[in-house]
Amino acid sequence: MRRCMILPVKDNVGGAIGFKVFEDVERYLRDSDWCYYTSNSEILNILANYKKNLDQVLENPRVLKIISEKTNTGSLIKVKVENEVKGVNVEIEVIGKNGEDIYFKESTRLNTEEHKVISQTIKNWLVVYEKQIPYDGIITGVLGNQFTLDVGTNRSMFQGNEVVVLRPLGKRNHPLLKEIVDWETEKLGEGKVIHSSDTQAQGNILSYSTKKRLRVGDWVLLERNKDSNLVEKRKYEEDNPYEFGKLGEVSLLFNVGKGSATSENPDVKKIGGTLLGVDLRTSLWITRKYWVGLDIGKTFGSLSSEEGSLSRSENDMSNSLFNLKFGYKYLPMGFFYGPQIDAFIGYGSYTYGLDSSPADGMTEVSFKGILMGARGSIPVQKIVRLYMELSLLFNPSYDEEGAVFGEEDSARNYALEFGGKYLYAPNMTFDLSYGVNSSKASFTNPEKSITVKQSTFKLGTTFTF
């Protein structure tokens, strides 16, 4: 996977853009320290005969496999640039040596035809791909307990580094995208690098985890800990927050805040108090741009009189939420863990459980309907991301448990949340946010209303899986 080659870049304007993009990306690959670049000059001569139907030729897995075998390349980089009105569509695929495995895939629309912007977008994607390569080196030779690696100090493989040896057993494909999202491996043992040059290293196995012995093709990973001699670059890669997840995210958040209920009938009566609760949120990525999400939550509290004369000085509150979302993710920079803007639509339900007290205008009420909203997030440091989300129910329905107000004339609901995420591990963040949820139903003849609101701080964690 670290032996790479870029295929001819195809565009729909006669190569005016594609050739310049090809030159920029090829120059980047030649100078990079993660890719052993293979020149495709011989392959270009062969493909020149298929210039008119190059797209069809490069879609054929058999052709790609032959190219990989002839160039000894494991990462075939295929780029497409499609010119449109006021912009271009850019797509990249990194294909394995069998011509079928998709190691990485991304696409975006850019509002410019400038080849340097297009090239930089592709370079950003290749940085992401490099972080997803599941090993640091491959064993190229074995002699007893000693082994030779195909990387050296150019990949931060220094003398004295501790390493783990793995054997790849299989691969897992995304059920929809057909991309490889994970690898099945078996740990064979642990060792140490005993010598290292620029492009090669030798190591010695110190302990075995199984009865199996090393062989050519096994993977080696640097052991990353506080005593490791890794340079800062490798430390950053280990904790890189821009590593793409596999299938989705799940969050568990604990809430503390204030809840209130206000009835106007026509006198104003209000109760309020502390709420405690928990939220569970899940998001599944259908593709890298389309996703589905489910949010459920529950809060509890005891409210007391804050305004007006009430027949009951206290009232218990039990609130619940259910949001089912279908969303689209826009990536302004074409970079998955760069800035993100999400728009979503779905179904939402908010229930505010109050003990029924008709004299006070209090009862359990619920608001349900079509959920619409948007969310934006941006990284401000390598390990910190800020976000804000606004959603509302479009023309929601109103229901009440007791016959207090009757049928509503109008109803509304909105929810606002903003906060931040701290990257604790490559697949785990600590989250802190503040959110407000407000619902109101209004009635006429006579004029009256009920407003229910809760504002809470949320602290929890998110896991990427």
Side-chain angles (χ1 to χ4, degrees):
M1 294 175 71
R2 295 190 183 278
R3 298 186 180 276
C4 65
M5 183 185 75
I6 182 170
L7 298 170
V9 178
K10 181 67 177 177
D11 60 29
N12 58 347
V13 288
I17 300 177
F19 183 71
K20 293 180 180 179
V21 171
F22 175 87
E23 285 187 322
D24 288 345
V25 177
E26 184 185 45
R27 190 178 304 112
Y28 158 76
L29 292 173
R30 289 183 184 277
D31 296 337
S32 70
D33 61 357
W34 70 268
C35 168
Y36 299 94
Y37 183 74
T38 303
S39 173
N40 62 2
S41 56
E42 180 182 349
I43 301 300
L44 284 174
N45 294 332
I46 298 174
L47 294 177
N49 299 324
Y50 303 94
K51 187 175 181 180
K52 293 185 178 180
N53 61 340
L54 186 59
D55 278 347
Q56 289 79 6
V57 173
L58 294 181
E59 291 294 334
N60 190 327
R62 294 180 59 187
V63 173
L64 296 177
K65 183 178 180 181
I66 292 173
I67 293 175
S68 177
E69 291 174 349
K70 287 186 174 295
T71 58
N72 190 29
T73 301
S75 291
L76 296 173
I77 302 169
K78 183 166 67 174
V79 176
K80 292 182 181 179
V81 180
E82 183 176 320
N83 185 274
E84 291 189 347
V85 179
K86 296 182 180 180
V88 294
N89 290 327
V90 185
E91 178 181 319
I92 185 175
E93 282 186 342
V94 182
I95 303 171
K97 62 181 181 181
N98 63 1
E100 297 180 354
D101 290 340
I102 300 177
Y103 293 147
F104 182 81
K105 184 176 182 180
E106 261 293 5
S107 63
T108 191
R109 173 177 170 79
L110 300 175
N111 297 323
T112 178
E113 298 178 6
E114 173 58 45
H115 72 90
K116 291 185 178 180
V117 177
I118 300 172
S119 301
Q120 187 59 52
T121 300
I122 297 169
K123 295 174 188 177
N124 290 342
W125 285 335
L126 291 174
V127 170
V128 179
Y129 168 65
E130 189 265 334
K131 302 299 184 294
Q132 296 179 190
I133 296 178
Y135 57 82
D136 293 302
I138 293 180
I139 292 179
T140 57
V142 178
L143 179 61
N145 291 329
Q146 294 187 353
F147 54 86
T148 304
L149 298 175
D150 64 345
V151 294
T153 55
N154 62 335
R155 291 297 305 159
S156 302
M157 194 72 69
F158 297 105
Q159 181 178 344
N161 284 156
E162 297 178 355
V163 296
V164 176
V165 182
L166 305 174
R167 177 160 299 164
L169 302 177
K171 52 198 175 188
R172 297 191 183 99
N173 294 77
H174 193 290
L176 296 176
L177 300 177
K178 307 305 180 185
E179 298 177 40
I180 295 177
V181 296
D182 202 1
W183 299 85
E184 297 180 19
T185 60
E186 178 184 19
K187 181 179 178 180
L188 299 183
E190 299 178 352
K192 179 174 288 189
V193 177
I194 58 177
H195 177 73
S196 183
S197 62
D198 289 343
T199 60
Q200 194 177 60
Q202 287 81 44
N204 190 34
I205 195 78
L206 301 178
S207 63
Y208 288 96
S209 302
T210 70
K211 294 182 179 180
K212 299 179 181 179
R213 293 300 179 258
L214 308 187
R215 67 187 183 197
V216 174
D218 287 339
W219 293 353
V220 170
L221 289 175
L222 284 166
E223 187 79 271
R224 297 174 171 88
N225 53 50
K226 63 182 181 180
D227 297 324
S228 177
N229 294 324
L230 300 182
V231 295
E232 285 299 317
K233 175 182 175 183
R234 298 304 294 162
K235 291 181 181 178
Y236 168 71
E237 290 175 356
E238 171 65 9
D239 295 326
N240 181 21
Y242 301 114
E243 182 178 357
F244 181 67
K246 307 300 189 298
L247 297 175
E249 295 178 333
V250 59
S251 302
L252 181 65
L253 304 168
F254 295 95
N255 306 339
V256 58
K258 181 179 180 180
S260 65
T262 305
S263 68
E264 298 183 41
N265 190 21
D267 297 332
V268 176
K269 297 181 180 182
K270 181 179 179 181
I271 56 175
T274 302
L275 294 179
L276 299 174
V278 63
D279 286 356
L280 179 65
R281 303 174 178 175
T282 60
S283 293
L284 296 177
W285 298 321
I286 302 174
T287 69
R288 296 187 184 215
K289 292 187 178 180
Y290 293 95
W291 53 271
V292 292
L294 176 64
D295 300 345
I296 56 177
K298 195 75 175 178
T299 54
F300 305 87
S302 180
L303 312 187
S304 58
S305 174
E306 290 188 348
E307 185 177 349
S309 178
L310 287 84
S311 61
R312 297 182 56 164
S313 59
E314 294 187 354
N315 196 314
D316 291 331
M317 173 177 271
S318 175
N319 300 340
S320 61
L321 72 89
F322 175 90
N323 287 339
L324 181 62
K325 306 173 181 177
F326 176 77
Y328 172 79
K329 185 182 298 295
Y330 171 64
L331 307 173
M333 297 180 62
F335 199 48
F336 187 83
Y337 278 111
Q340 300 178 356
I341 300 175
D342 295 85
F344 56 86
I345 190 171
Y347 172 79
S349 173
Y350 296 89
T351 300
Y352 307 92
L354 292 166
D355 294 337
S356 184
S357 178
D360 299 327
M362 302 293 177
T363 188
E364 179 178 303
V365 297
S366 61
F367 296 78
K368 304 175 182 178
I370 298 176
L371 179 71
M372 299 186 298
R375 173 188 174 103
S377 67
I378 185 171
V380 294
Q381 292 183 356
K382 294 179 182 178
I383 56 176
V384 177
R385 172 179 290 269
L386 300 180
Y387 71 91
M388 184 172 69
E389 180 176 317
L390 175 65
S391 64
L392 57 87
L393 295 181
F394 176 73
N395 192 24
S397 64
Y398 166 81
D399 294 300
E400 57 185 34
E401 185 180 66
V404 176
F405 292 99
E407 185 175 351
E408 85 284 1
D409 291 288
S410 65
R412 62 173 176 81
N413 165 273
Y414 75 88
L416 175 65
E417 181 177 326
F418 57 90
K421 293 175 174 286
Y422 171 79
L423 186 72
Y424 176 74
N427 66 334
M428 178 181 176
T429 64
F430 288 129
D431 308 341
L432 176 64
S433 65
Y434 176 77
V436 177
N437 179 282
S438 178
S439 300
K440 181 177 181 179
S442 300
F443 312 83
T444 57
N445 297 324
E447 186 172 335
K448 50 190 176 181
S449 67
I450 181 169
T451 304
V452 191
K453 182 178 180 181
Q454 67 177 41
S455 54
T456 55
F457 287 95
K458 303 181 181 183
L459 176 64
T461 184
T462 296
F463 294 94
T464 303
F465 59 90

